[in-house]
Every structure is written in C-alpha cells, then in structure tokens.
Amino acid sequence: MSTMSTPRIRLPGSASEGEEIEIRTLLTHPMITGVSSDDPRDMLTRFEARMNGETVFAYDFENGSAANPTFTFFIRAAAPGEFTFTWTHEDGQSVSAEESVSIS
Amino acid sequence: MRFSRRSFVSGTAASAALVILPIPVAALDLSDDVAVHIDDILDGRDPREGGIELDAPAVAENGAQVPLTIRVDSPMSEDDHVTAIHIIATANPAPGIGSFHLTPHLTRAEVFTRIRLAEEQEYLVIAELSDGSVLQAAARTAVTQGGCVT
C-alpha cells in the first residue's frame, strides 16, 4: 500500500453538552481500484469515527469512492468529548487521528 | 454567436450549483450486476420512493471528484433513525460506491462525500431505517471529464 498520510480533521474546540457539532475529515489517498490501470489495487476499506470510545459514524469504501476521501457529518457532542478517527486499508493497516472537544 | 470552450465550461459550472431533481428509481434501466447489487442491499424489502434529498451538480467537470450531499428525512432519535445509506452507480465498472453507517449520536441524517462517476449516469441512494423500512432515490449527473476509475 501507499504510505498513509496524516489525516486532516476540522471540528470545534469546544461545545455545550448535547450541542450539534460539524465534523469534516480528509485523508490524502489515491484509492486505486486497479480496474482500468496497471497500477496494483490500493484501496481503503473503512472509515470509523468514535466518540468517547463508541462508534458514531462509519463508511465502507467501494470502487466508486473518490480519491482523497472526505466526509462531513453532524454529531451531538457528549462529554468528555474524546474523538478518534480511523481509516483502515484493505491490507489491514490503519491510520488514526485523535481530537478533543472541550464540553461545557 | 460563438462560444469558446472556456465560456461554456464556466457556464456549466454556474448551472451546476442547482440541486438536481430526483429521478424515480423505477424509471431506470438497470444492468444485471447493478440489479443484483441492489437486491443484496434490499434483502427482500420493498423500498419506498422519496424521503431522500440529493444535492449534487447537474454537470460535474471532473467525474473523479463529484461532491454529493445526502439528506434523509429522519429525527435521528433512538427509536427512529437512519442506520445505513448506500450509494450505487449504474454506469461505473462496478456498481458499489460506498455505504454510510449512522447512529442516533448524529443530529441529522445528512452526510457529504465525493464519488466517482466514470461517465454521465444515474446513481441510486438507498437508506435503511431503524424500523426496518427502506427508502430510495436516484439522481443524474452529467460528466464533462469522466472519472477515470483507476
């Protein structure tokens, strides 16, 4: 697989308990299906967003998912506001990012 | 009157900001592999048309990066929420685009991502709800430069 780059996450630094927060994620990745080129397949299989240890949003990638996958979604913020975002490659390797939202 | 290519492209980009009108899924002419892919998702359930708003360009200049916002009409409560949203291409080399998995921790059943369209085509969105019912919608996007599905 290609080397996984550093994910980019955009979310607010603080929020009230129960407040809606917008989360945007981007991972630079070629997402090569291997269908129409000689390049070997190089695809992510899953993205997961966890809040306080619980999976709150996920996505299973298939061939029609664009390169440099990006997502926007809206979460009800809950204390303590610890977020983990994980992208898993078809070969089993993964890259994660951790973010904290201060909940008041 | 003559149009340069540049003015045509910028004109289509301006029109691309519109929310595209939904197409009845029943009106689509689906290939066998697309129909099988959909049947696997439906698993015998009978989908209702509508309840899904698709926001995408009517004309995408780059088929490799087509922005798509999906909004499903749902309170996203513990008792009544969307559990999954599937996106299916009708004219890509493979029908599967991807599947979202949603939980009541989301405030709304609204998601954004970018998809690949190898050529102008319709694509379907199927939403699974927590009560076991299924919604579906379709839209069409023209592609100026095909998304090379690498």
Side-chain angles (χ1 to χ4, degrees):
Chain A
M1 63 176 278
S2 57
T3 307
M4 295 242 232
S5 68
T6 306
R8 299 209 322 247
I9 314 287
R10 199 164 94 184
L11 78 184
S14 62
S16 304
E17 177 77 30
E19 184 183 345
E20 176 181 86
I21 59 170
E22 178 180 311
I23 299 179
R24 294 185 184 194
T25 67
L26 174 72
L27 183 71
T28 303
H29 192 278
M31 296 293 281
I32 299 167
T33 64
V35 170
S36 58
S37 73
D38 293 332
D39 296 325
R41 187 174 172 89
D42 181 5
M43 288 283 287
L44 302 171
T45 182
R46 190 169 170 90
F47 166 76
E48 270 190 33
R50 282 191 289 278
M51 178 173 66
N52 308 325
E54 189 179 349
T55 299
V56 293
F57 174 85
Y59 183 86
D60 291 319
F61 294 98
E62 294 176 276
N63 283 8
S65 296
N68 306 326
T70 181
F71 300 107
T72 304
F73 51 97
F74 300 88
I75 294 283
R76 192 173 289 108
E82 301 298 333
F83 288 85
T84 307
F85 305 93
T86 304
W87 290 256
T88 305
H89 194 274
E90 286 181 347
D91 71 6
Q93 295 185 63
S94 64
V95 61
S96 291
E98 295 189 3
E99 297 282 343
S100 291
V101 177
S102 173
I103 307 292
S104 55
Chain B
M1 184 175 180
R2 288 188 56 173
F3 290 96
S4 68
R5 183 182 178 277
R6 186 168 300 276
S7 70
F8 175 75
V9 167
S10 61
T12 54
S15 65
L18 299 169
V19 174
I20 46 181
L21 293 172
I23 298 167
V25 175
L28 304 181
D29 184 19
L30 303 176
S31 67
D32 287 349
D33 63 332
V34 172
V36 166
H37 189 90
I38 292 169
D39 285 348
D40 282 349
I41 293 169
L42 293 179
D43 195 23
R45 294 169 295 183
D46 192 19
R48 278 181 290 134
E49 199 83 32
I52 302 174
E53 186 182 315
L54 303 177
D55 190 351
V59 179
E61 288 191 33
N62 180 6
Q65 292 280 344
V66 180
L68 173 63
T69 297
I70 302 169
R71 287 183 205 92
V72 185
D73 185 15
S74 168
M76 292 305 284
S77 64
E78 195 67 44
D79 294 340
D80 183 3
H81 59 273
V82 178
T83 59
I85 299 173
H86 309 274
I87 321 170
I88 302 112
T90 62
N92 273 3
I97 291 181
S99 297
F100 294 95
H101 300 279
L102 286 72
T103 68
H105 293 282
L106 275 71
T107 49
R108 23 177 163 158
E110 175 179 332
V111 293
F112 168 83
T113 192
R114 292 178 187 274
I115 65 172
R116 284 172 165 149
L117 298 177
E119 58 187 82
E120 174 170 356
Q121 63 183 283
E122 294 96 8
Y123 41 95
L124 282 79
V125 170
I126 296 175
E128 299 186 63
L129 310 187
S130 54
D131 67 0
S133 64
V134 186
L135 304 175
Q136 68 180 7
R140 181 179 188 84
T141 289
V143 175
T144 308
Q145 183 182 337
C148 137
V149 183
T150 46

